[in-house]
Each structure stands twice: as C-alpha cells, then as structure tokens.
Amino acid sequence: MKTYSYSVTDSLKPDIIHDKNIIELSMPSMMPSDSPSLSLLIETGIDSPKIKVSFRSEEIVASEKENGEDAKYLSIVSFLLSFLAIILTFFASKLSIKTRILNLEVEVDKQEEKGKKLEKKLEGAKVLVSDLQKTFNEMKQDDFVFYLSLLIQDQQISQSIAVDKIITYPRMSDIIYQRYTVHPNNDNYKKGQFCLLIMSKDAEGARIIVKNNLEKMGWDGMPADVEEKLLENVKKDYVSIRNEFDQIFKLGIEDYIKAKTAT
C-alpha cells in the first residue's frame, strides 16, 4: 500500500491505526445519517491488485467498491513514463556522443591543419638550410683556393681568382696544370695540385680530374690503400686543411705522404 485517505462527517473523529499494509479505523458510535469513506492507493507488480476490506458493526451495513481499472491505468501510465524516461536518456546519451565525435573531428581537423603548416615551415627551413650550406661550401671553397694561390705564388693564378666569382676545384686544377706547362720546373704547381687532391676528397668527380692532372704533371700516384689512409687522416675544418697545405709545401709530396701514413 502506497498511501490512503478517508472522509467522514465533521462530527466523527475516527481512531486510525496504520501498520504496514493494514489500515484500521475505529469509531465508537455513529449516527444513522453518518457515513465514512476510505480510499487506498495500492502499489503492486500485478495487473489487478486485490484489496481485502472487513467491517464490523452491529448497526451499519457497509459496502465495498473495488476500483481495479484505476489501478491498472496507473500501472500502465507508470510503465509508459518509465519507458519514456529510458528513451529520453538514450537519445540524450546518443546526442552527447555525437556532439563529442563532432568536437573530436573538429579538433583533428585543427591538428591536421597545424601539421600542414608546420610541414610547410619545415620544408622552407630545409630549403634555407640547403641554400646556406651551398653558400657556405662555396665560401669555404673560395677561401681554400685563395689561400692555395698564395702558397703557389703565381700572379696570374691570383689574378684569375680575383676576376672569377667562383673557382671550382676542377677549374682550379686545370688553371694550375696550364701554369705548370709554362713553368714545368716549378715544384709549387705539383704541390698545389696535390693540395687540391686533399681538399676534394669528398667530391669524387673533382678528385678524378685532379688525379688526372697530377699524372700529366709527372706524378706516379700512390697505392689505393695508401691514398685511403691518407685521406682518412685529414680533418675537414678550416684550420686543419690550411695546416695540411702548409705541411705539403714545407715537406714536399712524398715526405708528407710518409708522415701521414706512418703507423
């Protein structure tokens, strides 16, 4: 039993005892015109709940009216309300999930756009680094060639370097060879050509041209293992390369090779 109510005439004041599923109304006396009324709201899991009502009186004849249809209607309404609540909860949950998915998709798009922008900046940085590296290599090459021209002490070579913007290793090699043909007894041209061999160790095509010019200048060359060991012992930084040039011009080619390849 969920709840109850009663109605009586104003003069009646019943004594009520409510114990779990039992309601007991007790009135010591009633007038013939008096009539009490009791209403009960039953909550149960079955379609047609049964209500037991008993009256005890010597003067009054009571009657019972069972409102089963109302109870059934209330049960159906309660079920529909519960079902509606479940449906609303489901759609609300689904809408929330859909909203989250849309938000995630927007966030993914934003991250992809940021990634594209970052990738574009990275490509630009790579191009810049490549340009700077190329410029640096050209500057370093110009510096080495200029220093080499000072060691050879040939005014015409110095003038050629001053006129041309960039002198590549192969071109410098050809210039040295051309000046050697004019002054074959000047050993500085062979030393300068050998310096180019050391300097162009990482430029395969240039190194081949330098070696060919050295051979035409009367240099017999050296075994491949000796050449490999020699080039491995040469450092690549500015100061080290300039020091190698100084050693070649000071010792001569043969003594320099022996010093660099000695175990």
Side-chain angles (χ1 to χ4, degrees):
M1 181 177 61
K2 190 172 184 179
T3 186
Y4 69 92
S5 65
Y6 67 92
S7 64
V8 295
T9 55
D10 293 337
S11 59
L12 295 178
K13 293 183 179 180
D15 296 327
I16 301 175
I17 299 175
H18 180 198
D19 183 15
K20 294 183 179 179
N21 294 329
I22 298 175
I23 296 295
E24 182 178 338
L25 280 77
S26 176
M27 286 176 284
S29 62
M30 295 176 63
M31 299 297 291
S33 60
D34 293 330
S35 62
S37 175
L38 177 65
S39 299
L40 303 175
L41 177 59
I42 306 299
E43 187 180 59
T44 179
I46 61 178
D47 293 339
S48 300
K50 298 296 181 180
I51 304 173
K52 291 184 177 181
V53 180
S54 62
F55 295 89
R56 184 178 178 184
S57 174
E58 295 180 357
E59 295 87 4
I60 303 300
V61 178
S63 63
E64 176 186 352
K65 181 180 180 181
E66 184 178 305
N67 196 356
E69 291 297 325
D70 290 343
K72 185 176 182 180
Y73 172 76
L74 290 174
S75 178
I76 293 174
V77 170
S78 178
F79 171 76
L80 289 176
L81 289 175
S82 299
F83 182 70
L84 181 60
I86 293 173
I87 292 176
L88 291 176
T89 302
F90 171 76
F91 280 107
S93 176
K94 190 173 183 181
L95 181 60
S96 176
I97 293 173
K98 187 176 181 180
T99 302
R100 291 181 182 179
I101 292 175
L102 290 175
N103 290 338
L104 286 175
E105 289 177 350
V106 171
E107 187 64 26
V108 169
D109 291 339
K110 289 181 180 179
Q111 294 300 326
E112 288 181 352
E113 186 65 24
K114 289 182 180 178
K116 290 179 181 178
K117 290 181 179 179
L118 183 61
E119 186 176 353
K120 188 175 181 180
K121 290 182 180 179
L122 182 60
E123 290 298 326
K126 288 181 180 179
V127 173
L128 179 60
V129 169
S130 178
D131 292 341
L132 289 174
Q133 184 65 42
K134 183 179 178 181
T135 302
F136 175 77
N137 289 337
E138 291 175 352
M139 291 172 59
K140 182 172 68 173
Q141 183 170 289
D142 286 347
D143 290 342
F144 285 151
V145 169
F146 176 75
Y147 185 67
L148 187 57
S149 70
L150 297 180
L151 294 176
I152 296 174
Q153 298 179 0
D154 186 297
Q155 186 176 0
Q156 188 168 334
I157 293 178
S158 299
Q159 289 176 349
S160 299
I161 294 175
V163 172
D164 293 331
K165 185 176 181 181
I166 297 176
I167 301 293
T168 63
Y169 296 154
R171 183 166 184 175
M172 183 64 176
S173 177
D174 291 339
I175 292 173
I176 293 174
Y177 173 68
Q178 189 274 331
R179 294 302 296 163
Y180 167 79
T181 60
V182 178
H183 305 283
N185 296 324
N186 189 341
D187 199 45
N188 280 352
Y189 296 110
K190 283 187 180 180
K191 293 176 181 178
Q193 196 75 263
F194 190 81
C195 287
L196 282 179
L197 180 66
I198 299 298
M199 190 162 40
S200 62
K201 64 176 184 174
D202 295 324
E204 186 63 30
R207 189 150 59 99
I208 292 174
I209 292 174
V210 173
K211 290 177 69 175
N212 289 338
N213 283 332
L214 269 172
E215 291 175 1
K216 289 188 289 185
M217 294 167 70
W219 185 62
D220 295 332
M222 53 184 165
D225 58 334
V226 175
E227 181 179 344
E228 183 178 357
K229 186 176 182 179
L230 172 69
L231 296 179
E232 285 180 354
N233 290 336
V234 176
K235 297 181 180 180
K236 299 180 182 180
D237 60 275
Y238 267 119
V239 177
S240 296
I241 292 291
R242 289 167 67 98
N243 289 338
E244 298 297 328
F245 291 174
D246 292 339
Q247 289 297 313
I248 292 171
F249 274 84
K250 179 180 179 180
L251 299 176
I253 296 176
E254 299 301 328
D255 289 341
Y256 171 79
I257 292 174
K258 290 178 182 178
K260 296 296 291 188
T261 58
T263 55

